[in-house]
């Protein structure tokens, strides 16, 4: 067993840290307030190869491993969870299904620009009536000559309105249930496809979340991803990997909250002492530090399993469940350590606490993670 | 055009503490970084790579761990890296360091330009660049803050001064030392870092490889020796005297008497 990062991973981690501290952190509070999508940051990340991290060089990726990718989402989320999820949705949900299931032509046309960061990716599974029960797809795709005609809508889609390439699930044969769902690569600019207005959210406010609306939208036949009827399988396998990204986001938020709490507990004086001298504060910090480290081990191990071509579905569900709950607990404690100041927008922990909540909801709620874990443990 | 950039790996002095007893740096747990001025030198070389098709070689004398600094330079876009590492180099002062670097650069051969940082943040002498130029008997410009023009024969550069700058034309090959005003160093890219480990290599050269005279290396080749290192005593706060010239003179005399200086 070896817990050390390789020199390559360490250098990549240095890069993410430096980039996060210098380029991302200074914007975080402002874009949280305004809800403005950080397009300039996305452009800079493209230049550094962050948008194609875990994909091979032949597709324009950086050729790094899953762990290096997870560390990128972690370090970005440590200072700005919105930036973290933009990367996670793009890489894990937008680009990865094409890498895993795409034809050579689809990879050439869609994966390469995604990896290079010339295009941004997104993934549409959730519908108003298909949340946790994702199989209840009401978006319909009907083959007509050289095109599928899509009708229906998706809700709460990350990178909606900003992405160029969407992976969209739709029922091609509703009579077949799970086996009647198919996956499509949908370009942003095709007729019949529009995005709704940006949702006004509690947290990750600079990430764009919108509805996707399909009205007689013509998707070329060759944009079917995988075979007809494989859509649900593709979606579930995509989410298995995506959970590592969101787990890393949760881990980063928790780490950020811990760091702020350590700093503050040394600075803030009450009763003529830094509050860190009080055992009550020390115990909170000790718990936070321990849980963050435990979350990190779970997240890194899930990534390691994926890199080593071992089954990682259970591990990524555990990592996502635990890291999300640690993010919520840690950020709540961080606000507590900051007292009244922590309730103010002038302090980062206020944002961290709002941002943490989403990690218990998207890419499968914590209840769903427990269902996934139980189904593998009890089988 | 062929450029050699001398890169030193240094402890990140932002994180460094001084041992109050010995006066030396506590290096334990302190991350090592590329010397900041050297990053400016690398950046400028990479700009010339893009503009003039220069080939950029980074060179470092240091312990085996300095491999990391060179890989980072490769990740930024340098073409080749050489690590000079040998027990024989241990204990080198700036002169012995410069001699070893000069022999390595001779082995690289065909160079048009040698770039150093102005100064290393640990040793802080700013001597290696100039000494290198003297040993190699080529011109040097220190404190370069801008390259105005450059080709294989001459370079026109701005040299930063305390109260302005000089414009200097220099014959190539030459040694230039970079200051931070020269540019903003780029980040390495993620794929650059992956290539730095998976595709590119760091060549390891020993004293024998550069055919150096053993008498001129390491402790033996050093004219200076460190007698003692210490943190300079903290200066007390100054005191401003108020009033007319006569009053100020009187209170000055008074103060000096109190301090037994008078
Ligand atoms: C900001 C944001 C971004 C998102 N981004 C994307 C995206 O990019 N792509 C995408 O496809 N989707 C996205 N989603 C959707 C997200 O994945 C869903 O919101 C989530 O899966 C939950 O679905 P729901 O909101 O319909 O909740 P519901 O399914 O209605 O769940 C409500 C509650 O019931 C619980 N519950 C439901 N069923 C069960 C059960 N069988 N057993 C126990 N408890 C159960 C849930 O855990 C939850 O607590 C995003 C959502 C948000 C808020
Ligand atoms: C392991 C080790 C042991 C040492 N032992 C001794 C000792 O026993 N006695 C002693 O007097 N000094 C010793 N030194 C100090 C050493 O002599 C100086 O650090 C070195 O000569 C550089 O001087 P400086 O740090 O002042 O750099 P400066 O002259 O300020 O550096 C200017 C520029 O020169 C280049 N440069 C400097 N050093 C290197 C290098 N090693 N490789 C590539 N480029 C370089 C860089 O471009 C740098 O920006 C030791 C250093 C090391 C790393």
């Amino acid at each position: 067993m070896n817990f050390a990062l390789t020199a390559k991973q360490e250098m990549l981690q240095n890069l993410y840290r430096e980039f996060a501290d210098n380029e991302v952190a200074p914007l975080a509070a402002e874009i949280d307030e305004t809800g403005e999508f950080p397009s300039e940051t996305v452009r800079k990340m493209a230049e550094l190869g962050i948008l194609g991290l875990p994909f091979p060089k032949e597709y324009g990726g950086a050729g790094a491993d899953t762990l290096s990718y997870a560390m990128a989402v972690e370090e970005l989320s440590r200072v700005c969870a919105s930036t973290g999820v933009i990367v996670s949705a793009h890489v894990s949900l937008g680009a990865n299904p094409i890498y895993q299931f795409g034809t050579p032509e689809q990879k050439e046309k869609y994966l390469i620009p995604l990896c290079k960061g010339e295009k941004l990716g997104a993934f549409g599974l959730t519908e108003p009536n298909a949340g946790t029960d994702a199989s209840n797809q009401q978006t319909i795709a009907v083959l007509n000559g050289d095109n599928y005609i899509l009708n229906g809508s998706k809700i709460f889609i990350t990178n909606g309105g900003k992405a160029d390439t969407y992976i969209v699930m739709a029922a091609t044969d509703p009579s077949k249930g799970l086996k009647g769902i198919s996956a499509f690569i949908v370009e942003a600019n095709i007729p019949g496809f529009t995005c709704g207005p940006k949702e006004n959210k509690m947290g990750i406010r600079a990430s764009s979340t919108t509805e996707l609306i399909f009205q007689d939208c013509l998707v070329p036949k060759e944009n079917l991803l995988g075979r007809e009827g494989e859509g649900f399988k593709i979606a579930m396998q995509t989410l298995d990997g995506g959970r590592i990204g969101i787990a890393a986001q949760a881990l980063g938020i928790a780490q950020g909250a811990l760091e702020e709490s350590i700093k503050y507990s040394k600075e803030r004086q009450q009763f003529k002492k830094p509050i860190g001298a009080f055992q009550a504060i020390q115990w909170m910090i000790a718990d936070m530090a321990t849980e963050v480290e435990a979350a990190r081990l779970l997240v890194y191990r899930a990534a390691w399993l994926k890199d080593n071509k071992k089954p990682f579905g259970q591990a990524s569900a555990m990592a996502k469940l635990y890291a999300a709950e640690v993010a919520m607990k840690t950020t709540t404690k961080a606000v507590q350590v900051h007292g009244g100041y922590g309730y103010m927008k002038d302090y980062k922990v206020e944002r961290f606490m709002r941002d943490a909540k989403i990690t218990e909801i998207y890419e499968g709620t914590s209840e769903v993670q427990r269902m996934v874990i139980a189904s593998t443990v009890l089988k | 055009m062929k450029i050699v950039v001398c890169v030193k790996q240094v402890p990140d002095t932002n994180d460094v503490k001084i041992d109050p007893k010995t006066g030396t740096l506590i290096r334990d747990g302190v991350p090592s970084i590329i010397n900041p001025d050297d990053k400016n030198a690398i950046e400028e070389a990479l700009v010339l790579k893009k503009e003039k098709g220069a080939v950029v070689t980074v060179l470092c004398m240091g312990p085996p761990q300095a491999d990391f600094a060179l890989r980072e330079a490769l990740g930024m876009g340098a073409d080749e890296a050489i690590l000079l590492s040998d027990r024989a180099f241990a204990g080198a002062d700036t002169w012995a360091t410069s001699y070893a670097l000069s022999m390595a650069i001779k082995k690289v051969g065909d160079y048009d330009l040698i770039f150093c940082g102005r100064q290393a943040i640990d040793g802080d002498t700013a001597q290696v660049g100039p000494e290198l130029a003297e040993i190699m008997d080529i011109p040097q410009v220190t404190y370069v803050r801008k390259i105005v023009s450059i080709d294989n024969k001459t370079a026109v550069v701005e040299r930063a001064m305390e109260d302005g700058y000089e414009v200097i034309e220099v014959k190539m090959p030459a040694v230039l030392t970079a200051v931070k005003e020269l540019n903003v160093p780029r980040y390495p890219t993620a794929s650059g870092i992956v290539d730095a480990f998976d595709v590119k290599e760091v060549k390891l050269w020993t004293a024998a490889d550069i055919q150096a005279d053993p008498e001129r290396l390491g402790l033996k080749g050093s004219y200076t020796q460190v007698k003692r290192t210490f943190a300079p005593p903290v200066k007390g706060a100054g005191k401003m005297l108020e009033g007319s010239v006569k009053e100020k003179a009187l209170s000055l005399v008074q103060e000096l008497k109190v301090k037994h200086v008078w």
Side-chain angles (χ1 to χ4, degrees), chain B residues 107-198:
Chain B
K107 179 168 165 146
V108 171
D110 279 346
Y111 52 87
D112 300 287
L113 189 61
I114 299 166
F115 241 126
C116 287
R118 175 195 57 161
Q119 185 165 354
I121 55 173
D122 56 347
D124 247 348
T125 66
Q127 289 172 357
V128 170
E131 287 173 349
L132 193 55
E134 285 307 311
I135 292 172
M136 304 191 73
D137 200 20
I138 55 178
Q140 57 172 291
V141 183
T142 52
Y143 299 87
V144 171
R145 62 165 221 180
K146 186 175 178 185
I147 294 186
V148 181
S149 68
I150 190 162
D151 59 36
N152 288 333
K153 293 203 177 69
T154 54
V156 178
V157 303
E158 289 181 12
R159 177 173 190 267
M161 318 273 290
E162 242 169 61
D163 52 356
Y165 63 92
E166 294 174 334
V167 179
I168 296 179
E169 187 179 275
V170 60
K171 239 175 83 190
M172 305 264 268
V175 173
L176 306 182
T177 79
V179 292
K180 70 169 186 297
E181 291 74 17
L182 182 60
N183 52 42
V184 180
R186 69 194 63 191
Y187 295 100
T189 64
S191 52
I193 291 173
V194 171
D195 281 351
F197 285 91
D198 296 355

Side-chain angles (χ1 to χ4, degrees), chain A residues 1 12 17 28 43 52 73 89 141 158 187 208 211 231-232 243 250 262 277 279 296 308 315 330 337 353-354 377:
Chain A
M1 193 180 261
L12 286 165
R17 280 198 183 143
R43 192 191 57 74
V73 178
T158 302
E187 289 182 49
S208 173
E211 200 180 342
F232 196 72
R243 278 168 194 147
I262 293 169
Q279 201 178 44
R296 179 167 291 114
N308 286 277
T330 304
V337 168
M353 187 173 160
R354 284 184 289 107
V377 171

Side-chain angles (χ1 to χ4, degrees), chain A residues 212-233:
Chain A
L212 311 182
I213 302 150
F214 305 95
Q215 286 168 311
D216 291 330
C217 168
L218 294 186
V219 176
K221 203 166 69 177
E222 60 271 18
N223 281 22
L224 175 72
L225 186 61
R227 280 193 292 260
E228 256 195 38
E230 285 185 345
F232 196 72
K233 184 193 85 181

